[in-house]
Amino acid sequence: MELNEMEKRLIFQTEGYGKSDVTYELRMCLPYIPDPVKRKTAAELMRKLDAMPEKDCLALIQDIRKTFSLPWARRCATSAVSYLQRRGISPDVISRCFRDGLFYEARHHGEPVCVFVGKDEAGKAKFACMRSIAGSLRKDVYGSDKEYSFCYPPRNPDSRHVAVFEAPIDALSHATLQELKGWKWDGYRLSLGGTSHVALTAFLKRHPEIRRVSLYMDNDLGGLKNARRIKAMLHEDQRFRHIRVGVNPPRTGKDYNEMLLHVIGQMKDQQRQCRQKQAAISI
């Protein structure tokens, strides 16, 4: 049976590996999909999967989730580092990402891209997403496991807090804001890689010590609705009812990177005014 790219991506984003698992998750998520086109596609996909024999459906799912391998890393990551610097990410945060193997530069069809990596408990890469340095490309590497999405780790490995973002750049922006603002906070910074809750529920299963989840979704209709949906989902799931869940959209801008750039702009203005005053006094 032929599936279009959106249908394949919907299967790719689910947690299940069997026909019943995938169709069940699609059925549960269907009412919460904000995009009407994507919602209609998901409904049509469920009908297609229901009509398929179990054996054929399993083979189809396995084919979509082909063996994962990281894109070949470029020896020099100058373009990728410059991209993060333009987005306001601090040198310390960039260095830590390199040191922990969470970020590098590659090429996709001749185009330079940033690669953000997600790892399992043993430190093995299980997930990677690419972000174009000069264009608009945003995509997961084929075969990535959404359960191990990009996660910027805390200083204290015993932390019981996790902050949740839609994209890796927002997680790194929050870490940079902490440096600039001097926030006394330490926790995991997890990227969902979109709006699916798969990465978060898998993370919480692996980290039963977590006691607080902070949802730092985008400050737009889709982001706020998704944050409320995830909060309700965690509250209704008996495994996660003990966890305190907060919704913390950025105070300025659409997302935490826009908020970071706004803060950096304010700081530069203040420094410029301070230099002008000092120059006036010296005269």
Side-chain angles (χ1 to χ4, degrees):
M1 181 178 292
E2 288 294 324
L3 300 182
N4 60 42
E5 283 302 313
M6 185 176 287
E7 289 172 331
K8 290 179 181 179
R9 183 157 290 276
L10 283 168
I11 290 177
F12 181 69
Q13 290 173 341
T14 59
E15 290 182 295
Y17 282 84
K19 174 180 176 178
S20 59
D21 294 336
V22 171
T23 53
Y24 173 79
E25 186 172 340
L26 287 171
R27 193 168 287 110
M28 291 298 101
C29 292
L30 189 63
Y32 303 104
I33 298 175
D35 182 2
V37 175
K38 191 173 182 180
R39 189 164 58 246
K40 183 179 179 181
T41 302
E44 179 61 27
L45 174 60
M46 284 192 296
R47 285 192 288 272
K48 289 182 179 180
L49 296 180
D50 284 336
M52 291 180 68
E54 179 72 33
K55 184 178 178 181
D56 293 345
C57 189
L58 182 61
L60 175 67
I61 294 168
Q62 289 176 339
D63 182 61
I64 289 172
R65 292 177 175 152
K66 292 179 179 178
T67 304
F68 168 74
S69 62
L70 287 172
W72 191 263
R74 299 192 72 187
R75 184 173 299 178
C76 180
T78 306
S79 297
V81 171
S82 296
Y83 168 77
L84 289 188
Q85 289 174 335
R86 290 196 302 272
R87 300 295 292 267
I89 309 302
S90 79
D92 287 344
V93 171
I94 296 173
S95 296
R96 190 174 179 208
C97 284
F98 270 117
R99 189 168 62 249
D100 293 350
L102 300 176
F103 168 79
Y104 66 93
E105 182 177 332
R107 295 189 79 83
H108 179 71
H109 298 311
E111 179 182 0
V113 294
C114 297
V115 181
F116 298 95
V117 181
K119 299 185 176 184
D120 63 13
E121 298 88 333
K124 183 179 179 181
K126 291 283 190 177
F127 170 89
C129 60
M130 296 181 289
R131 176 68 169 89
S132 174
I133 292 172
S136 58
L137 173 73
R138 293 183 186 182
K139 66 178 294 183
D140 294 346
V141 173
Y142 211 53
S144 289
D145 188 344
K146 276 284 192 182
E147 293 192 356
Y148 295 94
S149 191
F150 175 86
C151 184
Y152 187 80
R155 299 288 181 184
N156 175 17
D158 297 323
S159 175
R160 296 186 174 191
H161 297 170
V162 58
V164 183
F165 304 85
E166 292 187 19
I169 194 72
D170 294 321
L172 301 184
S173 297
H174 186 267
T176 301
L177 279 166
Q178 181 174 3
E179 289 184 6
L180 295 175
K181 296 285 191 177
W183 295 336
K184 302 299 181 183
W185 184 88
D186 189 35
Y188 297 90
R189 292 177 172 90
L190 177 69
S191 165
L192 297 181
T195 58
S196 170
H197 62 79
V198 170
L200 177 58
T201 52
F203 178 88
L204 294 176
K205 289 176 189 175
R206 296 194 301 271
H207 293 272
E209 74 279 6
I210 295 296
R211 292 294 179 268
R212 185 170 182 86
V213 171
S214 299
L215 301 172
Y216 291 87
M217 305 290 103
D218 288 0
N219 192 13
D220 56 17
L221 181 60
L224 295 173
K225 283 179 67 176
N226 191 45
R228 289 195 295 269
R229 179 178 65 86
I230 292 174
K231 183 177 181 178
M233 181 270 296
L234 293 177
H235 179 71
E236 292 166 6
D237 194 317
Q238 196 168 0
R239 298 169 299 175
F240 309 131
R241 282 182 182 173
H242 63 284
I243 298 175
R244 292 176 60 195
V245 183
V247 177
N248 305 92
R251 295 175 184 175
T252 56
K254 172 181 168 289
D255 54 39
Y256 270 83
N257 186 245
E258 286 191 7
M259 179 176 169
L260 170 62
L261 294 175
H262 177 76
V263 169
I264 291 174
Q266 284 184 322
M267 294 177 69
K268 287 181 178 179
D269 288 341
Q270 291 172 357
Q271 291 171 354
R272 183 167 54 251
Q273 290 172 7
C274 184
R275 286 195 297 270
Q276 288 173 348
K277 288 181 180 178
Q278 288 175 345
I281 291 171
S282 63
I283 293 173

